[in-house]
Amino acid sequence: MAERGRVRRMNSSTPSSSSASKADSDVPLIWQRGQDHFSLFSKLIKQELDDETAMVEERWKKWTKQRLVAAGLTLFDLNGRPQGRFFGEYIITFESRNGGRMPQHRFGNGDIVLISRTRPWGEKILEGVVLDRGPTRIRVVVAERPSDLRKGNWRLDRGANRVAHDRMLEGLMSFHSTEDSTGTPLRDLLLGSVHDIATSSQSPPEIHGQKQYGPLGISQLPLNESQRNAVESAIGKRLTLIQGPPGTGKTHTAVQLLRTLVKMGRGPILATAESNVAVDNLLEGLLDNGVNAIRIGRPVKVREGLREATLDAILKNHPAQEEIEFIRKENEAVKRGLSDLRGKDKGLAHKEVNNNYKEIRRLERTMIDGVLDGAEVICTTTIGSGHKLLGNRRFPVILMDEATQASEPSALVPITRGCRQLILVGDHKQLPPTVISREAERGGLGRSLFDRLIKCGMPTHMLTTQYRMHPTIREFPSARFYDNKLEDGCTPADRPPAAGFLWPDWDKPVAFVPIEGFEVEDEEGKSKSNIDEAAKVVSIVNDLLAAGDITTQDIGVISPYNGQVRLLTDLFYQAGGFEDGEPYNGLEIKSVDGYQGREKEIIIFSAVRANAAGEIGFLSDKRRLNVAITRARRGLIVLGNPITLRHDGTWRSYLDWAEEHNLFAWHITHS
């Protein structure tokens, strides 16, 4: 194992952004009164929903059709047609009326869309989920299909997610409930209102009636030392925080911990994460390790190869479905004959129909309970854990992966399901929860429960061996963000630099490409782009692909600004396109926020900001830089204006490090 690299002048205690500092100073870390906690977060949840709804409605009512299309937020003048079913729900295919290519848009698999005729704010709308998309069509899954689907025009819009806000509020109410058992035994500990939070967290969880299945064999698990220490510590505590820096195997550790807890008979266990991608990663790991895990959530939002492990798929193939189908057909026959009946006979027929419906619901509930009772681990998103399918089901053990991406009210949704042992896995040095309302973010909604508990004095178990990055890519983030504690589980030979790019130092596959350029603000003043950087990105990607060492699937293009993501998408679209058979099929262009938990062989990062005032906005959030520069395995290429970026302390430190190692790629700038 390689030695830990050390970097000079890397002060890891750089202050956070002003908004984060303000939130930290204004919002209590330790809550002496539960009422104060409830009052604040109920207000913040409402503020977030109000601001998100207002933003969407303003967009609908004030933006022109051209502006909505240019932003990729709305598709107009669509034809709709049915295309079968998807796990019991209906598939609708929407196409342009002229049959041509659709404009570039921001609808992808799993996204919630609102379906309307002309005005989503003034008519009945349908909510659907995107199944997939192509150059000329987009397929959407809906619970009910309109009878006039083939008539007239349709439009698709992005809207506010009201369900998430409702479930957060319900979770908050349950967390503070004193009238029944819906609250959690961990409430005082999580509020920090105990004498010593660190000592209290180490108490063994009060889980009774469980039987261990056999020797745990933790020493035999595929874990390194820091991962094994985290697992051994977590199994005996009622509250554990596991910090996993980039590439250190957070999810792998979480899976092995869940596997161990199952062996201890601690089930049923609820495994959650904020995003569907993170939940899918947990599910995949559990299934690969022989754990009986079931996924809760609409199959359309689940990775295709894992859909058979969803509750919907299992229920679809359940033996009781034959009986349910028989009763449904019987009901339809009775309903068809109602018009011919009179008096008492008609009343008896109605009663039979109602009884049949009750029997169907009973059989469905029996099926669901039977399937869930047999599961060792149930996987769902934090918000999904509030689904009615789970009923009043209790989970004494809850593990939350990517816990630092969940707002505190979001984290409370699963916790209120009777949690007695809580394991939070995440990294507070990476991106925080996504919050739309700036006021709600400043009020404390942008800080995760994981982060607050650390500030309250909770110790963490840090994973210290990274397996993702070439050691040079690891060097700066380890020094700047993790006190030089990261060590390498891979060697330079394991991560050879990619051909097709002239690295400043072939032994160090990191490059900073200075671009003078200029930034441009979009119409609504909420995002920015930089055409000079974008053009150079296209050139670099073409060179990498031409060399034949890597494919489009190996390259990730990321930027902190959605405006730059849209510009890059347009440029690559114009240069050849992303669909099957087109040159950039498989190339991913995303925001930094959309790339946490992901990795690629090559990462190309466009910083965008270039102005005389030296303003870099939220790019100054060191967590965003940390995520951006730790996604790459074999090569990291950063494009930016060094004069502008040097106005920020963290970026200045990064550029100093790059200069010291002769990693400035001036030859690429002028090529």
Side-chain angles (χ1 to χ4, degrees):
M1 188 173 294
E3 290 186 5
R4 301 170 182 173
R6 300 199 174 271
V7 180
R8 294 183 295 109
R9 301 199 314 273
M10 300 292 113
N11 179 8
S12 61
S13 61
T14 300
S16 303
S17 65
S18 59
S19 62
S21 299
K22 187 179 187 305
D24 285 348
S25 63
D26 290 353
V27 183
L29 297 173
I30 297 173
W31 296 87
Q32 302 300 330
R33 291 180 354 119
Q35 181 60 41
D36 296 334
H37 182 270
F38 175 82
S39 298
L40 175 68
F41 280 104
S42 58
K43 182 181 74 173
L44 296 178
I45 293 169
K46 183 179 183 302
Q47 185 71 55
E48 172 77 352
L49 178 60
D50 288 348
D51 285 6
E52 184 178 359
T53 303
M55 180 185 70
V56 172
E57 290 182 351
E58 180 183 12
R59 201 160 62 206
W60 288 343
K61 295 177 182 180
K62 295 184 178 181
W63 286 23
T64 64
K65 181 176 179 178
Q66 292 75 17
R67 187 176 177 187
L68 287 167
V69 172
L73 298 169
T74 306
L75 292 170
F76 292 95
D77 303 323
L78 303 175
N79 285 330
R81 58 182 173 87
Q83 200 182 25
R85 292 206 174 203
F86 183 84
F87 293 94
E89 296 189 295
Y90 298 95
I91 301 174
I92 300 177
T93 296
F94 292 101
E95 299 166 306
S96 298
R97 290 197 65 81
N98 59 13
R101 295 181 78 110
M102 287 185 168
Q104 284 296 303
H105 57 83
R106 295 162 63 180
F107 299 105
N109 172 256
D111 287 343
I112 297 174
V113 296
L114 302 180
I115 306 167
S116 65
R117 289 294 189 179
T118 57
R119 303 193 327 163
W121 67 93
E123 61 183 78
K124 182 181 178 181
I125 61 173
L126 289 176
E127 187 178 276
V129 181
V130 176
L131 176 61
D132 55 33
R133 54 181 284 183
T136 62
R137 57 104 179 116
I138 181 170
R139 295 201 300 165
V140 179
V141 174
V142 296
E144 60 177 300
R145 190 177 65 203
S147 57
D148 57 349
L149 177 61
R150 291 183 178 272
K151 299 178 181 177
N153 296 343
W154 296 94
R155 66 180 276 179
L156 302 182
D157 288 89
R158 296 190 62 144
N161 188 357
R162 182 175 292 274
V163 171
H165 299 87
D166 289 346
R167 288 184 180 171
M168 283 193 289
L169 186 57
E170 291 169 3
L172 185 66
M173 294 172 66
S174 292
F175 182 73
H176 290 284
S177 173
T178 57
E179 297 179 359
D180 52 36
S181 61
T182 60
T184 171
L186 296 179
R187 180 169 49 234
D188 290 344
L189 175 57
L190 296 180
L191 292 176
S193 55
V194 294
H195 178 67
D196 185 334
I197 188 171
T199 302
S200 181
S201 68
Q202 297 180 32
S203 301
E206 297 178 0
I207 303 175
H208 307 292
Q210 307 291 344
K211 186 180 289 185
Q212 189 164 312
Y213 296 160
L216 297 181
I218 296 177
S219 62
Q220 306 303 314
L221 294 175
L223 299 169
N224 62 43
E225 183 180 359
S226 65
Q227 293 170 335
R228 188 174 299 109
N229 289 339
V231 169
E232 289 176 340
S233 177
I235 61 175
K237 294 181 181 178
R238 60 177 183 152
L239 176 60
T240 303
L241 306 186
I242 299 175
Q243 182 190 1
T248 56
K250 290 191 300 293
T251 301
H252 173 73
T253 304
V255 167
Q256 297 303 322
L257 175 53
L258 288 167
R259 180 183 176 189
T260 302
L261 290 167
V262 166
K263 202 168 185 179
M264 294 175 67
R266 289 280 175 90
I269 299 171
L270 184 62
T272 72
E274 186 70 3
S275 70
N276 283 292
V277 171
V279 178
D280 287 347
N281 291 339
L282 281 173
L283 176 64
E284 184 174 43
L286 290 167
L287 295 175
D288 289 344
N289 280 273
V291 178
N292 181 9
I294 293 176
R295 176 79 152 88
I296 302 294
R298 298 177 73 173
V300 67
K301 294 186 178 185
V302 178
R303 193 180 305 154
E304 186 173 358
L306 299 172
R307 286 171 180 164
E308 291 304 314
T310 62
L311 179 62
D312 296 65
I314 296 169
L315 294 178
K316 184 181 178 182
N317 300 315
H318 198 283
Q321 287 291 1
E322 292 185 9
E323 185 176 356
I324 291 174
E325 188 60 28
F326 176 81
I327 297 173
R328 283 201 176 110
K329 289 180 178 179
E330 186 179 72
N331 244 18
E332 291 302 316
V334 174
K335 287 164 69 177
R336 285 194 298 270
L338 281 173
S339 59
D340 299 327
L341 299 176
R342 297 290 184 274
K344 184 178 179 181
D345 290 339
K346 193 169 187 174
L348 290 171
H350 276 294
K351 186 176 181 180
E352 183 180 356
V353 169
N354 290 334
N355 287 337
N356 282 341
Y357 278 131
K358 289 180 182 177
E359 180 63 10
I360 289 173
R361 288 194 294 271
R362 187 192 69 79
L363 288 170
E364 288 177 338
R365 189 70 253 174
T366 300
M367 279 196 306
I368 293 170
D369 289 342
V371 172
L372 295 180
D373 287 344
E376 294 171 320
V377 180
I378 293 174
C379 302
T380 184
T381 61
T382 51
I383 296 300
S385 65
H387 200 290
K388 62 182 180 181
L389 283 173
L390 292 175
N392 295 321
R393 194 170 293 271
R394 317 295 285 168
F395 298 92
V397 181
I398 292 175
L399 182 143
M400 191 180 305
D401 198 7
E402 299 290 0
T404 49
Q405 290 190 281
S407 68
E408 187 157 335
S410 180
L412 294 181
V413 178
I415 290 171
T416 55
R417 287 193 171 273
C419 180
R420 293 178 176 274
Q421 182 175 16
L422 177 63
I423 300 133
L424 301 178
V425 184
D427 183 13
H428 57 296
K429 302 290 186 178
Q430 298 187 58
L431 290 176
T434 299
V435 179
I436 292 174
S437 168
R438 291 186 178 180
E439 184 175 341
E441 182 180 20
R442 288 193 295 267
L445 199 61
R447 185 174 63 198
S448 68
L449 175 63
F450 187 107
D451 191 35
R452 180 171 68 79
L453 289 173
I454 288 177
K455 289 181 170 67
C456 286
M458 262 293 296
T460 64
H461 293 275
M462 181 174 168
L463 310 181
T464 56
T465 303
Q466 71 87 19
Y467 299 91
R468 174 186 299 161
M469 298 167 277
H470 185 287
T472 301
I473 302 174
R474 181 271 308 149
E475 188 174 300
F476 178 85
S478 176
R480 184 70 179 182
F481 309 121
Y482 301 105
D483 299 317
N484 273 310
K485 291 180 180 179
L486 292 187
E487 53 192 23
D488 300 312
C490 54
T491 67
D494 298 324
R495 302 288 184 266
F501 183 84
L502 189 57
W503 302 97
D505 186 334
W506 189 256
D507 295 325
K508 300 175 180 178
V510 176
F512 181 83
V513 183
I515 304 289
E516 184 174 351
F518 60 93
E519 64 184 57
V520 176
E521 195 169 74
D522 62 16
E523 292 183 22
E524 62 270 23
K526 294 185 177 180
S527 196
K528 304 182 188 297
S529 60
N530 186 317
I531 184 63
D532 297 275
E533 287 186 18
K536 182 60 68 174
V537 169
V538 175
S539 174
I540 291 171
V541 169
N542 287 335
D543 289 345
L544 286 167
L545 294 176
D549 184 24
I550 57 174
T551 68
T552 51
Q553 287 82 4
D554 298 322
I555 303 173
V557 179
I558 60 179
S559 176
Y561 291 94
N562 287 323
Q564 186 74 344
V565 171
R566 291 194 293 272
L567 174 60
L568 285 163
T569 302
D570 289 342
L571 290 180
F572 280 107
Y573 180 79
Q574 295 164 13
F578 299 92
E579 306 301 333
D580 290 343
E582 296 177 339
Y584 304 111
N585 178 242
L587 178 68
E588 286 193 342
I589 307 171
K590 294 181 178 292
S591 68
V592 178
D593 298 59
Y595 234 93
Q596 181 149 322
R598 308 284 306 283
E599 63 179 42
K600 289 286 185 178
E601 298 300 305
I602 302 293
I603 287 292
I604 304 171
F605 175 65
S606 173
V608 176
R609 300 309 300 264
N611 57 77
E615 297 176 352
I616 67 170
F618 66 81
L619 193 60
S620 65
D621 189 335
K622 59 185 180 181
R623 296 169 296 186
R624 186 163 277 105
L625 176 61
N626 185 24
V627 172
I629 64 176
T630 56
R631 303 303 97 192
R633 289 165 52 86
R634 293 173 54 191
L636 170 66
I637 303 167
V638 179
L639 296 86
N641 184 312
I643 296 175
T644 298
L645 295 176
R646 283 189 182 277
H647 282 80
D648 175 76
T650 303
W651 273 99
R652 183 167 59 253
S653 185
Y654 181 73
L655 295 175
D656 287 347
W657 171 81
E659 278 192 321
E660 289 178 5
H661 289 72
N662 298 314
L663 301 178
F664 267 58
W666 293 103
H667 56 288
I668 304 296
T669 303
H670 302 300
S671 64

